[in-house]
Amino acid sequence: MKQREYIDAEIKEYEDHPLINALPPINSPKDTAELIRRIPVVSPEEVALPAHIRRHAMLRIMDGFLYPTKAHLQLEQTISTMIRQGYLSRNIANKSYQETLNRTEKLADDSRNAGNEALVSSVIGCSGAGKSTAVEAVLSGYPQVIMHSSYQHVQIVWLKVECPHDASVKSLCINFFRALDEALDNNGLYEKQYVKPRANAEMLLGDFARIAALHSIGLLVIDEIQHLERSSSTNVSDRILRFFVQLTNTIKLPILFVGTPKAYELFSPSMRSARRASQFGSINWNRFNTTDRSGKGSDWDRFFSQLWALQWFKSPQPLTKEIKTLFWDYSQGIAHVAVTLFYLCQTRAVTVGREVISRDLVETVFNEELHMIKPMIKALQSGRDSEIQKYDDLEIPKASIVQNAVVSAPVNENTELNREDEHDFPEQTKLSKLINMLEQAGIGEDIAPTVAEQAVSELPDANLFQLLAHINNLQNKEPVPPVKEKPKVVKLKPRYVENDLRLMVNSKSGSYKAMKAEGVVLHLSDYL
């Protein structure tokens, strides 16, 4: 537990706020890059070791490699701002702190106002893209627990809780109290005190809110939020989401959701309105792509160049365009897949005694050791939405990307974007300008061209503002209900058998006479 060391407030709003001034200084982009970057060391002494020992050293590729990108810088700025803005109305140096504690008693009464605060954000991306790793890397730059002796107060700067697999309220609260006990190193005290056999959901959520306020949690990170989709009851999922929004509304606790694209379908209307109101926006954690319009190389180029340098070969292999393209094809820009494939290829190469990563080796390792993810990679390679949507954790739906991007960067007729100033975008076509604007609004580089081309094709004569407005309207269009065809009435024709009673009943001569003539009616006198 770190003892408090206050720094001078960096802006006037942060003056006389112990919870804020006990935090580290605000990072510059360069500071963030240095904080996040993790490049393992490959020493000459290890390269000379036998292959079976070198394999152990190579594990650093899996555990110790992290290359910062623009997305990491955006994430750090989002977390930095959320923590400090959330503390503004929670000042332990004045009476507002006690008022915050008192408000937790009325948590349930604030449900109708949920979603009005700008303290909710999310990081959504495909499995293996490095979302959770990135969040943990940013949070590592903050002390988790700070002791304020002068105020007899224990501040928890951040707390990361995993959404339970069974999506139950009780399991969520258990995970929360366990994470709290681990942060405070208090031997499970909170879990023992509050998680009782007879404790109902209402009691547990109330205790959750009170303890969060008591320890001035600066940021609550809910990881694997898509697990709520597994809930057997829609009401339980909605209740948990409403509770999170009430926390931001009542005790001003910022919440960062981390999950796969499946999470987009979970947000209730109240949660959607909270995201729209949020000044922090939603970060779409996309796969790496090979598109480069900057002339400085794509993020994939820089990422893979750093990864390729981690060779425990006695004669390091130079990086070629062919091998870089090959790894992208087999990983489809998913960071974890690329790192794993590179590690497995390298271990296989030193084991067989031929320290070269060739096309044949990459294909063999992928087919033999990564065969479980082969269907997902093939779906991404196809580029067909129908194939990709079979795997919910692969891609963010385009409609969700457009919605979040337009909401996070609203445009009106008075903005500079509507003027199409050629000095701002020299030698660019309308399409390329629109693509740049969409990327600045938060749409990924792999999706922005598709969205822009569709808008331009639908409105070829529109200016940039009209095109952006058209994209914005996509989220508000209700799908046209399918026309239900009236079922055709088919007149059934009966099929008759020999001596069918139905024919005798309808006989003109009368039912009894017809049955008697056919011998269906028995004469009792014959049996007496």
Side-chain angles (χ1 to χ4, degrees):
M1 185 182 299
K2 179 183 176 182
Q3 292 293 326
R4 61 99 183 103
E5 294 178 5
Y6 300 129
I7 65 172
D8 294 334
E10 289 148 312
I11 61 174
K12 64 179 182 180
E13 286 84 356
Y14 298 161
E15 291 177 357
D16 302 321
H17 276 270
L19 297 177
I20 297 177
N21 296 330
L23 300 175
I26 299 173
N27 285 331
S28 66
K30 182 180 178 181
D31 295 332
T32 300
E34 292 176 353
L35 168 69
I36 292 175
R37 183 182 288 108
R38 300 174 189 167
I39 307 295
V41 175
V42 182
S43 67
E45 293 79 12
E46 288 178 342
V47 171
L49 293 171
H52 66 282
I53 299 179
R54 270 187 286 166
R55 291 187 56 156
H56 289 260
M58 290 175 190
L59 279 171
R60 293 185 206 135
I61 299 174
M62 299 291 293
D63 302 331
F65 176 71
L66 181 59
Y67 182 72
T69 65
K70 290 181 289 186
H72 289 90
L73 302 184
Q74 181 186 358
L75 175 63
E76 194 281 332
Q77 291 172 2
T78 297
I79 288 177
S80 173
T81 309
M82 288 180 74
I83 292 175
R84 289 167 172 81
Q85 290 296 307
Y87 277 142
L88 278 179
S89 59
R90 293 184 287 164
N91 192 342
I92 59 175
N94 59 41
K95 65 179 182 179
S96 66
Y97 169 67
Q98 186 59 46
E99 292 173 353
T100 298
L101 294 181
N102 295 338
R103 282 199 298 271
T104 61
E105 302 297 331
K106 302 178 181 180
L107 187 67
D109 298 336
D110 290 338
S111 60
R112 61 184 178 181
N113 296 322
N116 294 330
E117 293 298 327
L119 295 170
V120 179
S121 186
S122 59
V123 180
I124 305 295
C126 69
S127 296
K131 307 176 300 296
S132 299
T133 301
V135 170
E136 291 171 0
V138 172
L139 294 178
S140 68
Y142 293 88
Q144 187 172 15
V145 181
I146 299 175
M147 178 65 188
H148 299 264
S149 303
S150 302
Y151 302 94
Q152 292 298 300
H153 184 74
V154 177
Q155 172 189 5
I156 297 180
V157 179
W158 56 268
L159 195 69
K160 186 169 176 283
V161 178
E162 184 167 322
C163 191
H165 286 271
D166 63 0
S168 71
V169 172
K170 185 172 184 179
S171 297
L172 172 69
C173 293
I174 290 174
N175 288 355
F176 169 75
F177 289 121
R178 284 180 180 172
L180 201 64
D181 287 329
E182 184 177 351
L184 296 172
D185 194 22
N186 61 2
N187 198 27
L189 178 64
Y190 277 127
E191 184 180 358
K192 295 173 185 176
Q193 182 176 352
Y194 293 109
V195 182
K196 301 293 180 64
R198 295 186 179 181
N200 58 37
E202 199 68 36
M203 293 170 57
L204 287 170
L205 291 177
D207 294 333
F208 187 133
R210 278 189 291 275
I211 299 303
L214 180 66
H215 285 295
S216 301
I217 296 179
L219 179 70
L220 180 63
V221 178
I222 305 296
D223 200 5
E224 306 294 353
I225 188 64
Q226 75 278 357
H227 286 172
L228 287 184
E229 188 266 343
R230 300 179 183 177
S231 173
S232 57
S233 171
T234 304
N235 292 335
V236 173
S237 300
D238 289 345
R239 182 179 189 181
I240 291 176
L241 289 172
R242 285 198 304 271
F243 169 73
F244 286 142
V245 178
Q246 289 171 39
L247 283 178
T248 72
N249 208 35
T250 307
I251 63 175
K252 306 300 183 289
L253 171 58
I255 299 181
L256 179 68
F257 295 105
V258 182
T260 65
K262 191 184 299 184
Y264 272 112
E265 302 302 322
L266 295 170
F267 294 125
S268 64
S270 63
M271 185 57 92
R272 289 194 187 99
S273 64
R275 295 210 321 278
R276 288 181 179 135
S278 176
Q279 63 189 358
F280 305 110
S282 176
I283 300 175
N284 297 316
W285 204 267
N286 297 319
R287 300 177 286 128
F288 285 112
N289 65 80
T290 56
T291 304
D292 173 35
R293 288 187 297 275
S294 66
K296 300 178 181 179
S298 65
D299 280 340
W300 169 256
D301 294 332
R302 291 184 287 273
F303 166 82
F304 194 73
S305 295
Q306 289 283 345
L307 178 63
W308 188 256
L310 302 177
Q311 296 183 40
W312 271 263
F313 292 161
K314 293 178 180 178
S315 297
Q317 187 178 343
L319 177 60
T320 63
K321 185 176 181 180
E322 179 188 7
I323 202 74
K324 185 164 56 178
T325 303
L326 180 67
F327 267 86
W328 190 91
D329 189 42
Y330 278 105
S331 69
Q332 287 297 295
I334 299 175
H336 182 69
V337 176
V339 171
T340 302
L341 181 59
F342 177 65
Y343 163 75
L344 292 173
C345 286
Q346 193 169 169
T347 56
R348 178 78 67 96
V350 298
T351 300
V352 300
R354 187 171 182 268
E355 299 184 1
V356 174
I357 298 178
S358 63
R359 173 178 288 273
D360 289 341
L361 178 64
V362 174
E363 292 175 351
T364 300
V365 170
F366 179 81
N367 290 325
E368 293 181 1
E369 302 197 45
L370 295 178
H371 62 276
M372 291 187 67
I373 66 169
K374 191 173 179 179
M376 286 77 96
I377 296 298
K378 279 191 171 182
L380 291 171
Q381 288 172 340
S382 72
R384 294 194 296 270
D385 289 341
S386 59
E387 292 296 316
I388 294 172
Q389 294 308 314
K390 292 178 182 178
Y391 308 98
D392 295 332
D393 291 348
L394 285 183
E395 290 280 44
I396 300 172
K398 292 179 184 177
S400 298
I401 293 178
V402 171
Q403 173 177 317
N404 281 282
V406 174
V407 165
S408 64
V411 180
N412 57 58
E413 294 186 6
N414 296 322
T415 60
E416 293 295 325
L417 300 182
N418 188 42
R419 300 179 184 178
E420 298 187 32
D421 191 344
E422 293 298 328
H423 296 289
D424 293 337
F425 302 97
E427 300 180 3
Q428 287 184 319
T429 64
K430 181 164 60 178
L431 177 62
S432 63
K433 293 178 188 178
L434 183 59
I435 292 173
N436 281 333
M437 293 175 188
L438 291 176
E439 289 178 359
Q440 291 172 8
I443 295 183
E445 294 179 357
D446 52 344
I447 298 298
T450 303
V451 176
E453 287 172 7
Q454 178 182 341
V456 171
S457 64
E458 293 176 357
L459 297 176
D461 298 325
N463 59 31
L464 290 177
F465 168 72
Q466 292 168 332
L467 290 170
L468 286 170
H470 177 65
I471 294 172
N472 189 22
N473 288 335
L474 293 177
Q475 64 177 311
N476 299 320
K477 288 184 179 179
E478 296 184 0
V480 178
V483 178
K484 295 183 179 179
E485 295 183 1
K486 293 183 179 179
K488 295 181 179 179
V489 179
V490 180
K491 189 174 182 180
L492 300 178
K493 295 182 179 181
R495 299 180 64 183
Y496 298 108
V497 298
E498 186 179 358
N499 294 329
D500 198 304
L501 292 178
R502 290 173 293 177
L503 293 174
M504 299 177 192
V505 170
N506 296 327
S507 175
K508 293 182 180 180
S509 61
S511 301
Y512 179 76
K513 289 181 179 181
M515 291 181 182
K516 186 175 181 181
E518 294 292 339
V520 176
V521 177
L522 300 178
H523 296 278
L524 293 178
S525 59
D526 295 339
Y527 298 92
L528 295 176

